[in-house]
């Protein structure tokens, strides 16, 4: 999904992943959202003394991401 998210010639919100004739397609944005949601949920399972929203986090993106891809993340 990362490679598709930085591809500026496609609709990054279009549901086409995974490639092939499978049902339940996701967009690159959907996959990124699912990944970040998964990380947040695992974090909340391990760190229970302070709510997630009170932590400072740094999320980085690949240098190949254009401004549009950065905003989508």
């Amino acid at each position: 999904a990362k490679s598709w998210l930085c591809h500026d010639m496609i609709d990054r919100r279009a549901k086409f992943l995974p490639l092939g004739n499978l049902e339940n397609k996701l967009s690159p944005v959907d996959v990124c959202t699912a990944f970040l949601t998964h990380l947040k949920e695992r974090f909340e399972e391990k760190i229970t003394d302070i709510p997630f929203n009170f932590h400072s986090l740094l999320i980085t993106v690949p240098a190949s991401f254009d401004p549009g891809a950065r905003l989508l993340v």
Side-chain angles (χ1 to χ4, degrees):
K2 178 186 76 108
S3 295
W4 289 108
L5 200 58
C6 68
H7 195 300
D8 64 353
M9 300 298 285
I10 63 154
D11 178 359
R12 294 172 259 202
R13 294 181 187 274
K15 297 181 183 294
F16 61 89
L17 296 173
L19 299 177
N21 292 326
L22 302 174
E23 294 184 26
N24 301 323
K25 298 285 188 176
L26 297 171
S27 72
V29 173
D30 293 336
V31 174
C32 183
T33 299
F35 178 72
L36 293 173
T37 299
H38 174 78
L39 290 176
K40 177 182 182 279
E41 289 169 355
R42 298 301 76 78
F43 182 95
E44 290 175 329
E45 286 177 3
K46 300 290 183 189
I47 310 295
T48 59
D49 56 335
I50 301 172
F52 180 81
N53 294 343
F54 288 95
H55 290 273
S56 295
L57 302 173
L58 175 65
I59 298 174
T60 63
V61 296
S64 61
F65 276 28
D66 64 11
R70 288 186 190 115
L71 289 173
L72 290 171
V73 171

